[in-house]
Amino acid sequence: MTDRLMSLLAEQLDFLSVSCKRCDAGHLHEAKQIAHRLRVLLHDTGSSVSLLHQLGWKHELKLLDTRWIRLLTREVSQSLPWEFHSGW
């Protein structure tokens, strides 16, 4: 069972990586695929169990929230006397 779940995890992470690269390249519709992959990995309901929960990893997982970095970068760049592009 664990081998199958690990295979499914690798598949989902590969899908997620490809979709992120495509989204970064301007294919913004890939955001829907990214959301779908994250739902498969993380979302538990009364009728379904996320892949990370099935592996027993969901509650051990530490996610980094980078929203504050984007907000800070935007505020700082707006106050600079020159144009700044952060890539965010």
Side-chain angles (χ1 to χ4, degrees):
M1 178 73 150
T2 302
D3 288 341
R4 176 160 162 62
L5 292 176
M6 291 300 292
S7 177
L8 291 171
L9 176 63
E11 182 179 64
Q12 291 299 318
L13 293 176
D14 185 55
F15 287 146
L16 188 57
S17 176
V18 170
S19 289
C20 286
K21 288 175 187 169
R22 287 185 44 81
C23 191
D24 287 345
H27 302 278
L28 300 182
H29 62 278
E30 286 290 337
K32 293 177 184 177
Q33 288 296 326
I34 293 168
H36 175 72
R37 300 304 168 199
L38 290 174
R39 183 178 174 93
V40 169
L41 291 170
L42 299 166
H43 188 71
D44 294 309
T45 68
S47 60
S48 67
V49 180
S50 68
L51 183 54
L52 291 177
H53 185 93
Q54 291 179 59
L55 285 165
W57 297 355
K58 184 172 179 185
H59 298 292
E60 297 176 25
L61 186 66
K62 305 263 189 275
L63 299 175
L64 175 63
D65 182 351
T66 60
R67 288 178 296 174
W68 68 271
I69 295 172
R70 292 179 189 191
L71 293 172
L72 181 61
T73 302
R74 189 175 305 132
E75 282 185 30
V76 168
S77 67
Q78 290 174 352
S79 66
L80 294 174
W82 61 85
E83 191 170 335
F84 176 77
H85 297 284
S86 69
W88 291 90

